[in-house]
Each structure stands twice: as C-alpha cells, then as structure tokens.
Amino acid sequence: MTLQQWMTSKQFTQEQVANLLGVSRPYISLLVNNKREPSLNLVRRVQLASNGDVSARDLIDGKYF
C-alpha cells in the first residue's frame, strides 16, 4: 500500500502524518508525489506508524530491490 493510500484509508491529512512521523508537511508531500526518497529511519517510522500497511518496498524506489 502506498503512503497516500494509507493516508486516505485512515482519513489522515498530510499535516497529521507529518506530526505523527516528526517531519514537515512539505516533506510528506514530496514523499507522496515520489519527489523524494525517505531515509531508512523514516521508512522504519512509517512502517511502525502504519502497523506494516506501508512497507519499505512501498516507500523506496524499486532500484534498491
């Protein structure tokens, strides 16, 4: 599941997710729009926050797998 799909399913705003993960809202926008790859630390925080619904594979470009 993508970050955007998870946010939609939980009815979270970018601001809410940013606060949950300890990053800025513009950074969440960059992630959702595939303009930035997250750090491994953030990947782990997203996995934990989403209870595994959003995986590392969902967040990181396929060139790493």
Side-chain angles (χ1 to χ4, degrees), residues 2-17:
T2 68
L3 181 58
Q4 180 64 53
Q5 289 169 333
W6 177 74
M7 289 170 50
T8 300
S9 74
K10 300 296 183 185
Q11 299 181 339
F12 286 149
T13 65
Q14 288 184 359
E15 188 71 33
Q16 290 170 317
V17 172

Side-chain angles (χ1 to χ4, degrees), residues 26-39:
Y27 188 68
I28 294 297
S29 178
L30 290 171
L31 293 175
V32 167
N33 292 301
N34 295 314
K35 305 250 184 219
R36 183 74 50 122
E37 289 186 2
S39 67

Side-chain angles (χ1 to χ4, degrees), residues 21 27 43 51 60:
L21 298 174
Y27 188 68
V43 168
N51 292 319
I60 298 176

Side-chain angles (χ1 to χ4, degrees), residues 14-64:
Q14 288 184 359
E15 188 71 33
Q16 290 170 317
V17 172
N19 290 334
L20 180 67
L21 298 174
V23 297
S24 68
R25 198 234 18 104
Y27 188 68
I28 294 297
S29 178
L30 290 171
L31 293 175
V32 167
N33 292 301
N34 295 314
K35 305 250 184 219
R36 183 74 50 122
E37 289 186 2
S39 67
L40 292 178
N41 185 11
L42 184 60
V43 168
R44 183 69 180 139
R45 291 193 322 245
V46 170
Q47 286 180 316
L48 290 171
S50 71
N51 292 319
D53 289 341
V54 182
S55 70
R57 186 174 296 269
D58 296 324
L59 289 169
I60 298 176
D61 185 53
K63 67 184 176 186
Y64 294 107

